[in-house]
Tab-separated table of all heavy atoms in Angstrom:
chain	number	residue	atom	x	y	z
A	257	SER	N	-107.362	48.526	-25.711
A	257	SER	CA	-107.918	48.776	-27.217
A	257	SER	C	-107.287	50.115	-27.485
A	257	SER	O	-107.715	51.142	-27.226
A	257	SER	CB	-109.474	48.765	-27.132
A	257	SER	OG	-109.926	49.784	-26.223
A	258	THR	N	-106.212	50.042	-28.160
A	258	THR	CA	-105.249	51.136	-28.476
A	258	THR	C	-105.843	52.040	-29.718
A	258	THR	O	-106.314	51.550	-30.678
A	258	THR	CB	-103.904	50.636	-28.925
A	258	THR	OG1	-103.471	49.916	-27.745
A	258	THR	CG2	-102.966	51.729	-29.301
A	259	GLN	N	-105.741	53.344	-29.415
A	259	GLN	CA	-106.198	54.294	-30.438
A	259	GLN	C	-105.212	54.279	-31.705
A	259	GLN	O	-103.940	54.150	-31.552
A	259	GLN	CB	-106.037	55.781	-29.881
A	259	GLN	CG	-106.789	55.894	-28.534
A	259	GLN	CD	-108.315	56.381	-29.023
A	259	GLN	OE1	-108.599	57.230	-29.850
A	259	GLN	NE2	-109.247	55.719	-28.309
A	260	HIS	N	-105.767	54.538	-32.862
A	260	HIS	CA	-105.141	54.428	-34.151
A	260	HIS	C	-105.769	55.365	-35.190
A	260	HIS	O	-106.959	55.679	-34.879
A	260	HIS	CB	-104.863	53.098	-34.506
A	260	HIS	CG	-105.952	52.158	-34.703
A	260	HIS	ND1	-106.706	51.595	-33.672
A	260	HIS	CD2	-106.777	51.843	-35.833
A	260	HIS	CE1	-107.693	50.970	-33.988
A	260	HIS	NE2	-107.730	51.060	-35.430
A	261	LYS	N	-105.116	55.644	-36.199
A	261	LYS	CA	-105.762	56.430	-37.279
A	261	LYS	C	-105.084	56.212	-38.516
A	261	LYS	O	-103.977	55.642	-38.661
A	261	LYS	CB	-105.709	57.929	-36.884
A	261	LYS	CG	-104.266	58.488	-36.705
A	261	LYS	CD	-104.203	59.919	-36.492
A	261	LYS	CE	-102.766	60.390	-36.449
A	261	LYS	NZ	-102.639	61.794	-35.843
A	262	VAL	N	-105.656	56.508	-39.706
A	262	VAL	CA	-105.006	56.447	-40.796
A	262	VAL	C	-104.959	57.792	-41.625
A	262	VAL	O	-105.886	58.542	-41.608
A	262	VAL	CB	-105.918	55.587	-41.819
A	262	VAL	CG1	-105.316	55.411	-43.244
A	262	VAL	CG2	-106.170	54.177	-41.264
A	263	LEU	N	-103.708	58.056	-42.056
A	263	LEU	CA	-103.471	59.321	-42.865
A	263	LEU	C	-102.690	58.871	-44.019
A	263	LEU	O	-101.557	58.538	-44.041
A	263	LEU	CB	-102.615	60.329	-42.132
A	263	LEU	CG	-102.433	61.592	-42.680
A	263	LEU	CD1	-103.904	62.357	-43.169
A	263	LEU	CD2	-101.584	62.513	-41.919
A	264	HIS	N	-103.488	58.862	-45.155
A	264	HIS	CA	-102.844	58.346	-46.423
A	264	HIS	C	-102.478	59.418	-47.376
A	264	HIS	O	-103.346	60.086	-47.795
A	264	HIS	CB	-103.920	57.322	-46.976
A	264	HIS	CG	-103.203	56.633	-48.346
A	264	HIS	ND1	-102.154	55.962	-48.278
A	264	HIS	CD2	-103.654	56.637	-49.540
A	264	HIS	CE1	-101.812	55.497	-49.432
A	264	HIS	NE2	-102.752	55.884	-50.257
A	265	THR	N	-101.058	59.574	-47.672
A	265	THR	CA	-100.689	60.726	-48.488
A	265	THR	C	-100.064	60.339	-49.723
A	265	THR	O	-99.623	61.196	-50.484
A	265	THR	CB	-99.777	61.625	-47.613
A	265	THR	OG1	-98.640	60.730	-47.197
A	265	THR	CG2	-100.349	62.193	-46.483
A	266	SER	N	-100.100	59.122	-50.102
A	266	SER	CA	-99.434	58.593	-51.382
A	266	SER	C	-100.315	59.007	-52.503
A	266	SER	O	-101.508	59.239	-52.338
A	266	SER	CB	-99.331	57.082	-51.302
A	266	SER	OG	-99.190	56.587	-52.539
A	267	GLN	N	-99.671	58.995	-53.718
A	267	GLN	CA	-100.548	59.320	-54.894
A	267	GLN	C	-101.427	58.177	-55.362
A	267	GLN	O	-102.282	58.337	-56.271
A	267	GLN	CB	-99.619	59.905	-55.931
A	267	GLN	CG	-98.854	61.128	-55.513
A	267	GLN	CD	-98.157	61.777	-56.694
A	267	GLN	OE1	-98.704	61.761	-57.767
A	267	GLN	NE2	-97.108	62.379	-56.321
A	268	ASP	N	-101.094	57.048	-54.856
A	268	ASP	CA	-101.795	55.807	-55.337
A	268	ASP	C	-102.820	55.376	-54.277
A	268	ASP	O	-102.706	55.532	-53.006
A	268	ASP	CB	-100.868	54.633	-55.413
A	268	ASP	CG	-99.696	54.957	-56.417
A	268	ASP	OD1	-100.028	55.512	-57.424
A	268	ASP	OD2	-98.478	54.637	-55.962
A	269	MET	N	-103.810	54.769	-54.726
A	269	MET	CA	-104.853	54.231	-53.864
A	269	MET	C	-104.202	53.228	-52.937
A	269	MET	O	-103.368	52.427	-53.387
A	269	MET	CB	-105.957	53.502	-54.807
A	269	MET	CG	-107.039	52.798	-54.029
A	269	MET	SD	-108.182	51.929	-55.074
A	269	MET	CE	-109.307	53.224	-55.442
A	270	ARG	N	-104.713	53.201	-51.682
A	270	ARG	CA	-104.454	52.142	-50.667
A	270	ARG	C	-105.472	51.155	-50.474
A	270	ARG	O	-106.558	51.632	-50.079
A	270	ARG	CB	-103.945	52.711	-49.362
A	270	ARG	CG	-103.624	51.845	-48.200
A	270	ARG	CD	-103.129	52.561	-47.093
A	270	ARG	NE	-102.764	51.689	-45.956
A	270	ARG	CZ	-103.502	51.359	-44.786
A	270	ARG	NH1	-104.662	51.908	-44.819
A	270	ARG	NH2	-103.191	50.652	-43.910
Side-chain angles (χ1 to χ4, degrees):
S257 60
T258 299
Q259 299 276 315
H260 54 285
K261 63 182 178 184
V262 177
L263 184 61
H264 183 58
T265 57
S266 156
Q267 297 190 36
D268 306 314
M269 171 184 274
R270 171 178 184 261

